[in-house]
Amino acid sequence: MKKLGWLTALLALMLLVSACGGNTNKSANGSANDGTSTNAGKTDSEAVSEEPYEVVYAFPFWGSIPKDLQLVQDEINKISKEKINVTVKLLPIDGSTMDNQINLMTVSNEKLDMFLMFNYTTQVANGKLYPIGNIMEQNGKGIIDALGQEYYNSTQIKGVSYGVPSIRDMAQDYGYEIRKDLVDKHNIDLSQVQTFEDFEKIFSVIKEKEPNMAAINPSSYGKIDPLDNSLGVLLNNGQTDLKVVNWFATDEYAQILKTMRKWYQAGYVLKDAAQNKESNITLIKADKIAGATSHMKPGFEAQESRATGKEMVAVRVSPPAAKTSTVTNVMLGVSANAEKPEKVVQFLNLMYTDKDIVNLFDWGIEGQHYVKVQDQENVIKYPDGIDINNVGYTGASWMHGNQLLSYVFEGEDPEIYKKLAEFNQTALRSKALGFSFDAEPVKAEIAASTAVLNQYTKPLEVGVLDVDKVLPEFLKKLEDAGINKIIEEKQKQLDIWAKENNVNP
Amino acid sequence: MIVERITEWNDTVSAELRQAVGYKTVKKKAGMKKFKRYFPLFLLMIPGLLYLIVNNYMPMFGIFIAFKNINYSKGLLGSEWIGLQNFEYLFKTSDAFIITRNTILYNLVFIVLGTIISIAIALLLNDIRNKVLNRFYQSIIVLPHLISFVIVGYLVYALLSVDSGLLNKTILPMFGIAEISWYTEAKYWPYILTIVHMWKTVGLSCIIYLASIISIDPEYYEAAKLDGASRWQQIRKITLPLITPVITILTLLAIGRIFYADFGLFYQVPMNSGAVADTTNVIDTYVFRALMTSGDIGMSSAAGIYQSVVGFVLIVFSNYIVRKANKENALF
């Protein structure tokens, strides 16, 4: 709370400061505008001599800012200036303070044109985004083509799109990853695992043969479409109908909890799993666990093998399914304060269509940060003398636009992005794909229910609590917090949405 | 050293200030004269006052955020007013009672125990004549105050972890007691949290008491010794009465914050374990859990205001009681 109190204080201060600073800014901008507008009047026909528009692009980073960021930015600008007369200013923000920073920048009218977010609907509700849907056809056609109409439509809120997802895995499946050496050593047959309950066949072997290691660090499981916040969901990944139900009160959920409880008591589960803050990668590296359950995508095994330094294999128990939440969980949007949203969307368009720009974002400068592997179009490696520890630039390809245009690093499956594209195309679609819940009418109930979820779900889903005793208590508290009102509201909105979009229940 | 100097300086300055502030009661002419005389002292007050205004009063301007539905595109001032809607969620939960009870009871325990332990340690420190040792103990005892709660959380975890904790793996087996799953058993946490809180905060408050004990005129003790008073009698009849004003002020200030809980203590130390929420859930953790995903600043400000208002009422009320008992000890 201290933190929250401070935030308010800070905000108020910022407001005052910006009241003083804002004026000078505006007048400066104003005069600059006056200057350019007369210029523009003269040279309207030859747009090239117009000052290039600078797009400030904020995105989160974890760890340290790459030292060659400026160089990469310059290279990107060379291309974008020539193509659309736009330059970009990259603004990496520490992932943990990203939200606050964006809030402060918006409130204080600091220049910000585009940012990456993980909470799309909240940002839309808070009015931080410009409705780019209205200008997409003219300026961002390439984005729509790259995404496919269906995924693009799923970003619409009340008929207008406020952002676009980066192209990565738009759907998720669920499974268990495990160290390959253990599978080989103990002759574990992964193909015998078909359902969630079948995992036990693996776990019991690990428990018996590797007593010093937990078989699993669990993660939340459930074949549902969470409809934004898990408070009111569609069962069966949204394949059956459009009936919003309380997931936590279903038999299916109770059954999963009981299974987890059984596994916890049998000693399969990492004992401190409820308190654990280490990543699966760290735990696997430290020989604490043999494997972990999680959401997956094509190439997941390769990615995990690289991160853990141990070869990993995976077995999946639920098919890939696309829901609004899996599409909109990483979004790029144009700030409501952006001066020329069209220009920003044009730049965004490049991030989805221009292979050179995508690879500058993802891998840096050719020859300096990577070189192409001989005779292969899309495969790259580090130049001599450079490795992951001293390379001057690293980027997150799942974040900056269209990952499908990205090069593949040597050692990974060269076909990976083809597979990913196919994965996205063939994934099951929830019937409610494209529905976004407007939380505004039940804000208080959601806050109260979220607090209950944050308190109960983790220990229950890990198995440290007695399900028969705690689950009823959990459900009672959810009801007191108003989950039924949320479900009712959600159903109402979903019905309206279904009618408007001709979705059959 | 520093402590002594500060108290000395405090004494002289406050005496002067008391005179200076008292100028109102004297005739106006004399008032002007005094004002001139103490002008430098008023000047000295300016930086502190400015700090207070910038840091404590200007932000109050932001109170209105709690009554608005913040929409960033409309700006803070342009967002629509929604009355008390932002406060609703605070009372929506059936845990409202548990949360309020926890917040207040923990703080009461902390105030009472904290005062007793701090004074006891201050008295002990005061009797250590060896300068080097005295400094050493003081530093050691303040040290925990400087450790971040995230780290404290892990220190506690190192003790209590089921997998590898010192208690479960080493100490309990020595007494033949079975492993205890600390992070799922709510009943242990009132004790754990109290111990951690004391360990972390007693150091600093005992320094404040120590400062006021040191500033007591040694002549009192000499006279008492001549009369044959024992150590215990000296403490009871001289030390405690003379530091009562400090105790009252510190307690009153603490009461003003009785509705605030130390977020670090209640969130980091139990490692955000939902299973023990019955005894660790306080207002601040509830607000955090409720709003961490939506990050609604209107609702979080509402919680802040609610806490401030309750704190304000409590402090006025307890000050009123103190005034009744002894006017001199009251804050205002």
Side-chain angles (χ1 to χ4, degrees):
Chain A
M1 191 48 233
K2 238 178 203 168
K3 259 188 199 156
L4 298 173
W6 268 106
L7 180 70
T8 346
L10 249 178
L11 271 176
L13 246 186
M14 283 297 293
L15 198 81
L16 283 168
V17 172
S18 68
C20 316
N23 278 339
T24 54
N25 248 346
K26 247 175 213 158
S27 61
N29 275 347
S31 61
N33 275 347
D34 291 347
T36 47
S37 67
T38 48
N39 266 346
K42 281 177 205 160
T43 58
D44 210 1
S45 49
E46 30 186 341
V48 193
S49 62
E50 197 183 315
E51 270 294 293
Y53 181 71
E54 188 187 53
V55 172
V56 176
Y57 169 34
F59 56 90
F61 76 97
W62 297 266
S64 54
I65 299 178
K67 68 176 174 14
D68 290 347
L69 190 75
Q70 182 66 42
L71 297 178
V72 173
Q73 180 181 315
D74 293 343
E75 287 296 317
I76 295 173
N77 286 342
K78 271 185 208 161
I79 305 175
S80 61
K81 201 166 159 185
E82 194 195 306
K83 286 201 165 165
I84 51 171
N85 200 28
V86 165
T87 61
V88 67
K89 182 168 184 279
L90 301 179
L91 186 68
I93 298 177
D94 190 309
S96 57
T97 60
M98 178 91 186
D99 255 13
N100 286 347
Q101 286 275 354
I102 299 288
N103 284 352
L104 291 175
M105 287 177 87
T106 320
V107 172
S108 60
N109 252 324
E110 217 172 303
K111 183 163 167 59
L112 172 72
D113 296 289
M114 185 166 97
F115 59 96
L116 187 112
M117 73 211 87
F118 305 116
N119 48 356
Y120 176 57
T121 42
T122 314
Q123 303 281 27
V124 175
N126 285 341
K128 276 184 269 180
L129 293 172
Y130 179 87
I132 55 172
N134 301 330
I135 55 170
M136 277 296 274
E137 283 295 332
Q138 303 81 19
N139 301 292
K141 195 78 184 59
I143 304 176
I144 302 179
D145 292 342
L147 272 172
Q149 195 69 40
E150 193 183 10
Y151 283 127
Y152 171 67
N153 284 349
S154 66
T155 61
Q156 292 181 344
I157 292 181
K158 292 186 185 140
V160 190
S161 174
Y162 289 82
V164 284
S166 65
I167 301 186
R168 54 198 144 82
D169 44 324
M170 301 288 200
Q172 283 173 342
D173 45 18
Y174 184 92
Y176 173 66
E177 57 167 325
I178 179 170
R179 275 166 52 181
K180 186 159 185 296
D181 58 325
L182 296 177
V183 175
D184 294 343
K185 195 165 130 200
H186 305 305
N187 285 321
I188 300 172
D189 179 12
L190 290 182
S191 64
Q192 62 182 339
V193 175
Q194 303 291 334
T195 65
F196 184 71
E197 276 76 18
D198 287 347
F199 283 143
E200 187 165 359
K201 293 173 190 163
I202 308 178
F203 297 162
S204 55
V205 178
I206 299 287
K207 167 79 183 163
E208 189 189 333
K209 304 275 175 61
E210 302 281 343
N212 294 323
M213 203 184 275
I216 171 187
N217 180 31
S219 75
S220 186
Y221 172 71
K223 280 194 252 182
I224 53 167
D225 180 343
L227 299 177
D228 195 35
N229 55 12
S230 295
L231 298 162
V233 304
L234 298 182
L235 294 180
N236 191 20
N237 282 325
Q239 301 300 303
T240 330
D241 52 21
L242 286 176
K243 184 162 171 21
V244 183
V245 295
N246 181 356
W247 163 238
F248 306 101
T250 57
D251 290 341
E252 199 181 335
Y253 186 70
Q255 201 48 50
I256 293 170
L257 293 189
K258 278 179 190 152
T259 310
M260 280 316 304
R261 176 69 178 161
K262 189 173 79 188
W263 289 346
Y264 186 84
Q265 284 176 323
Y268 300 158
V269 179
L270 182 72
K271 270 194 184 157
D272 283 332
Q275 277 75 49
N276 173 56
K277 288 193 177 80
E278 304 290 347
S279 69
N280 288 334
I281 292 165
T282 321
L283 291 169
I284 290 170
K285 267 186 183 168
D287 287 337
K288 281 267 205 183
I289 55 173
T293 49
S294 68
H295 291 291
M296 296 180 177
K297 59 174 183 179
F300 179 80
E301 294 93 326
Q303 173 193 316
E304 292 291 290
S305 304
R306 201 162 33 129
T308 56
K310 295 176 183 183
E311 200 177 338
M312 305 295 293
V313 287
V315 49
R316 291 161 165 83
V317 293
S318 88
K323 306 142 196 173
T324 306
S325 55
T326 61
V327 175
T328 61
N329 59 6
V330 184
M331 294 287 281
L332 285 156
V334 175
S335 160
N337 290 345
E339 214 179 307
K340 296 184 181 168
E342 299 84 10
K343 287 280 179 194
V344 187
V345 173
Q346 283 168 20
F347 181 78
L348 199 56
N349 195 40
L350 287 187
M351 290 172 66
Y352 282 78
T353 51
D354 190 300
K355 194 163 179 154
D356 295 332
I357 287 206
V358 169
N359 281 297
L360 277 165
F361 268 117
D362 293 353
W363 299 107
I365 302 164
E366 185 172 358
Q368 193 170 349
H369 303 123
Y370 69 88
V371 291
K372 283 194 177 160
V373 175
Q374 241 178 349
D375 301 329
Q376 270 176 302
E377 184 47 37
N378 278 328
V379 184
I380 56 164
K381 60 179 183 182
Y382 290 125
D384 293 336
I386 303 263
D387 60 35
I388 187 144
N389 297 315
N390 64 5
V391 67
Y393 180 86
T394 49
S397 57
W398 50 267
M399 189 188 294
H400 303 297
N402 189 349
Q403 192 182 25
L404 303 182
L405 296 178
S406 186
Y407 294 139
V408 180
F409 205 80
E410 192 182 29
E412 271 186 72
D413 181 357
E415 299 290 294
I416 180 69
Y417 291 127
K418 269 188 201 138
K419 287 184 185 163
L420 190 58
E422 199 186 302
F423 177 80
N424 286 341
Q425 259 157 32
T426 54
L428 297 174
R429 262 83 163 152
S430 163
K431 278 178 184 269
L433 177 65
F435 167 71
S436 292
F437 178 52
D438 175 12
E440 197 56 38
V442 283
K443 218 161 70 164
E445 285 79 7
I446 287 188
S449 309
T450 311
V452 179
L453 291 194
N454 280 327
Q455 180 183 337
Y456 282 97
T457 48
K458 181 86 188 187
L460 274 173
E461 286 172 9
V462 160
V464 295
L465 293 181
D466 182 357
V467 179
D468 295 327
K469 210 178 94 199
V470 182
L471 184 60
E473 181 186 316
F474 169 41
L475 294 176
K476 171 86 179 39
K477 285 199 178 163
L478 264 185
E479 268 176 36
D480 292 343
I483 190 173
N484 290 331
K485 205 173 154 197
I486 302 172
I487 292 174
E488 207 176 292
E489 175 68 28
K490 212 177 242 182
Q491 185 74 63
K492 198 178 88 195
Q493 290 185 21
L494 187 62
D495 290 344
I496 295 174
W497 173 86
K499 207 176 259 173
E500 280 170 0
N501 291 279
N502 299 318
V503 178
N504 295 321
Chain B
M1 269 300 274
I2 297 173
V3 170
E4 282 150 62
R5 229 182 263 162
I6 289 177
T7 47
E8 240 170 61
W9 178 82
N10 253 341
D11 277 352
T12 46
V13 171
S14 60
E16 300 245 287
L17 268 180
R18 246 178 268 141
Q19 282 183 21
V21 176
Y23 79 97
K24 252 190 194 165
T25 53
V26 202
K27 281 177 191 168
K28 263 204 172 167
K29 261 188 194 169
M32 273 311 286
K33 219 174 170 186
K34 283 225 163 149
F35 180 74
K36 265 187 192 155
R37 192 178 151 205
Y38 292 110
F39 185 65
L41 285 177
F42 282 109
L43 268 187
L44 275 179
M45 212 166 87
I46 289 177
L49 216 59
L50 266 181
Y51 171 84
L52 208 67
I53 289 172
V54 170
N55 230 353
N56 294 22
Y57 283 90
M58 269 166 51
M60 273 194 209
F61 169 68
I63 279 183
F64 71 88
I65 292 175
F67 305 98
K68 285 198 160 207
N69 183 14
I70 297 298
N71 184 319
Y72 288 89
S73 60
K74 293 181 192 157
L76 288 183
L77 292 169
S79 299
E80 65 181 302
W81 296 96
I82 50 165
L84 293 176
Q85 269 181 44
N86 279 336
F87 290 81
E88 265 175 35
Y89 79 103
L90 290 170
F91 309 99
K92 266 267 143 46
T93 162
S94 50
D95 283 348
F97 169 72
I98 294 183
I99 293 163
T100 317
R101 178 201 69 186
N102 283 351
T103 315
I104 289 180
L105 274 188
Y106 271 115
N107 275 322
L108 270 182
V109 171
F110 291 168
I111 292 172
V112 174
L113 267 185
T115 314
I116 294 173
I117 298 178
S118 308
I119 293 175
I121 294 178
L123 287 170
L124 292 175
L125 279 177
N126 186 38
D127 272 342
I128 297 174
R129 292 290 159 226
N130 183 331
K131 285 258 164 185
V132 180
L133 270 184
N134 195 340
R135 294 284 164 272
F136 177 71
Y137 289 135
Q138 276 187 32
S139 316
I140 286 287
I141 227 167
V142 180
L143 194 65
H145 178 78
L146 304 172
I147 304 176
S148 145
F149 256 121
V150 178
I151 296 167
V152 174
Y154 277 97
L155 289 178
V156 174
Y157 184 61
L159 284 176
L160 304 182
S161 159
V162 187
D163 258 354
S164 50
L166 184 70
L167 269 180
N168 276 337
K169 291 291 161 201
T170 316
I171 297 178
L172 290 183
M174 281 199 311
F175 297 99
I177 304 172
E179 275 185 8
I180 296 172
S181 169
W182 299 97
Y183 288 95
T184 54
E185 298 276 357
K187 61 183 175 204
Y188 300 117
W189 282 91
Y191 306 102
I192 298 172
L193 290 177
T194 310
I195 292 170
V196 172
H197 179 83
M198 290 305 143
W199 171 77
K200 196 160 169 5
T201 57
V202 150
L204 198 71
S205 48
C206 102
I207 297 282
I208 297 173
Y209 288 117
L210 185 59
S212 54
I213 291 174
I214 288 172
S215 69
I216 295 171
D217 195 334
E219 281 177 18
Y220 290 120
Y221 295 104
E222 278 159 29
K225 263 185 217 154
L226 283 181
D227 287 343
S230 69
R231 260 248 111 71
W232 178 236
Q233 279 170 324
Q234 286 175 35
I235 288 173
R236 257 186 35 209
K237 303 284 180 187
I238 301 172
T239 315
L240 286 183
L242 282 175
I243 62 168
T244 310
V246 180
I247 300 178
T248 343
I249 288 178
L250 284 184
T251 311
L252 277 179
L253 288 179
I255 287 174
R257 298 193 58 82
I258 204 165
F259 219 47
Y260 292 82
D262 192 330
F263 179 76
L265 178 69
F266 291 96
Y267 190 79
Q268 305 290 3
V269 176
M271 292 265 165
N272 184 22
S273 173
V276 297
D278 273 351
T279 52
T280 60
N281 208 1
V282 288
I283 292 184
D284 299 24
T285 51
Y286 171 71
V287 171
F288 183 78
R289 289 199 178 104
L291 300 181
M292 64 193 271
T293 30
S294 72
D296 189 311
I297 62 168
M299 285 157 100
S300 51
S301 321
I305 288 183
Y306 175 49
Q307 291 179 305
S308 321
V309 168
V310 175
F312 182 73
V313 170
L314 282 175
I315 206 169
V316 169
F317 177 68
S318 38
N319 189 63
Y320 171 78
I321 292 176
V322 173
R323 255 180 101 83
K324 284 260 150 164
N326 184 348
K327 214 171 179 183
E328 295 225 321
N329 284 341
L331 269 183
F332 44 83

